[in-house]
Amino acid sequence: MASGSISLNHVEIAYDLSGSPSEKVVLLLHCFGSNRQYWDFHKEAFAGFQTLIIDVPGHGQSSLYDVDCSLELIASDISSLLDFLGINKVILGGVSMGGMISQTFTLKHPELVSALMLINTTCFISEDMHQLWRERSQQVLENGTGAVHDVLMRRWFTIDAIENEIPGYKYLSKTFKNFNPATFKKISQAMCNLDTNEKLKDISVPTLIVATPDDPGAPTYISRRMAEYISGSELHWLEPAQHLSSLEHIEPFNLIVKNFLLKQR
């Protein structure tokens, strides 16, 4: 595995690149408040492919923008990373925030994407959610991520997962506690500007959508709408779970992804 980083004008992006250079590349984007280790739980799903896993700006070992950021800016910088690495086509996958970036990237750079995986994500942020993120950001800036840790963990994981301290919960809880408050505010603001909704009808690549009926961050009707708007997509449900279903149902999730990727060979 090769690990490295690329320095752009306004950000540095850290990445891991592994697998045979002769294989298709799967580019993976983690959720808000985590880092590229998120995908350690799912390595077996990508066997036989080359994987490029990044720390989204402000997360892990990637720096945070000094300027105001947007999902479009992050997408452009990921495109620059691909150009730097000499990669001209990827199968793109993202969970939650990573799925928002993935949609934005695919719409902005359709020539770079051969297939898409959208996991527990949404295509629209309501005004009520805008206000909630603004309130959370203020709490975090004043008192650190500990101020919202418990409430977010209960949105992201079932009570059983929390009480039993499953590996995925322990990982995310620890990572989130070390999350930079400035990143919390800046990236959550970028997410709140998401509205790909009708634009999803322009996506024509094979697309996998993984959703959860009880997901508070991606309501059922939104998941169904995304599947309806993206022609030829396939929708799979994982339950019981909250927002991060792949960390609660690791093996079923890995099998769903593996079967989807086999069709892309």
Side-chain angles (χ1 to χ4, degrees):
M1 179 175 70
S3 296
S5 63
I6 175 176
S7 294
L8 303 173
N9 291 330
H10 40 245
V11 75
E12 182 166 319
I13 297 180
Y15 65 88
D16 293 327
L17 181 61
S18 61
S20 171
S22 64
E23 301 294 344
K24 291 185 176 181
V25 178
V26 180
L27 168 58
L28 299 167
L29 307 176
H30 57 77
C31 69
F32 180 75
S34 64
N35 55 36
R36 64 190 191 269
Q37 291 177 340
Y38 184 101
W39 299 104
D40 287 352
F41 294 94
H42 306 303
K43 284 182 177 179
E44 70 173 55
F46 312 108
F49 288 83
Q50 192 174 15
T51 57
L52 173 59
I53 306 177
I54 77 166
D55 282 334
V56 171
H59 297 72
Q61 295 177 311
S62 292
S63 64
L64 178 63
Y65 296 101
D66 291 328
V67 298
D68 288 339
C69 74
S70 65
L71 299 180
E72 288 77 15
L73 178 58
I74 296 172
S76 291
D77 288 334
I78 293 173
S79 174
S80 296
L81 172 62
L82 295 181
D83 186 57
F84 171 75
L85 295 172
I87 297 171
N88 56 23
K89 189 79 75 172
V90 297
I91 299 169
L92 179 58
V95 57
S96 190
M97 172 197 71
M100 300 178 193
I101 299 169
S102 295
Q103 294 168 60
T104 304
F105 184 94
T106 302
L107 291 166
K108 188 178 180 66
H109 303 285
E111 74 285 355
L112 298 178
V113 180
S114 63
L116 185 60
M117 298 182 291
L118 302 175
I119 303 141
N120 286 108
T121 193
T122 185
C123 57
F124 176 75
I125 303 294
S126 68
E127 182 52 42
D128 286 346
M129 285 302 298
H130 278 226
Q131 181 58 33
L132 188 57
W133 278 111
R134 284 192 288 266
E135 292 172 1
R136 288 173 180 159
S137 293
Q138 190 59 38
Q139 288 179 284
V140 168
L141 287 175
E142 292 176 357
N143 301 299
T145 54
V148 298
H149 172 273
D150 290 352
V151 68
L152 285 180
M153 291 302 124
R154 288 194 295 271
R155 285 179 63 85
W156 295 346
F157 294 94
T158 61
I159 295 299
D160 282 348
I162 294 171
E163 291 181 346
N164 291 315
E165 294 191 325
I166 66 169
Y169 166 75
K170 289 175 68 175
Y171 153 73
L172 209 290
S173 173
K174 179 179 179 180
T175 304
F176 184 76
K177 286 176 180 176
N178 295 318
F179 196 36
N180 183 346
T183 298
F184 188 105
K185 179 179 181 180
K186 193 163 285 192
I187 299 297
S188 65
Q189 286 177 334
M191 291 193 298
C192 282
N193 290 323
L194 173 77
D195 185 3
T196 55
N197 219 354
E198 292 288 332
K199 298 174 185 176
L200 294 178
K201 296 177 181 178
D202 295 332
I203 295 177
S204 58
V205 296
T207 300
L208 169 68
I209 299 172
V210 178
T212 305
D214 298 321
D215 189 339
T220 299
Y221 79 93
I222 289 288
S223 299
R224 294 191 186 280
R225 178 191 295 171
M226 293 172 69
E228 176 187 350
Y229 283 6
I230 301 176
S231 178
S233 63
E234 53 182 84
L235 173 60
H236 293 262
W237 300 96
L238 281 177
E239 57 181 315
Q242 289 289 95
H243 187 52
L244 298 179
S245 65
S246 79
L247 294 183
E248 293 213 41
H249 301 283
I250 293 172
E251 291 185 6
F253 174 80
N254 288 348
L255 183 60
I256 290 170
V257 170
K258 186 180 296 184
N259 289 336
F260 176 76
L261 290 177
L262 285 174
K263 301 172 189 176
Q264 314 312 320
R265 283 203 169 279

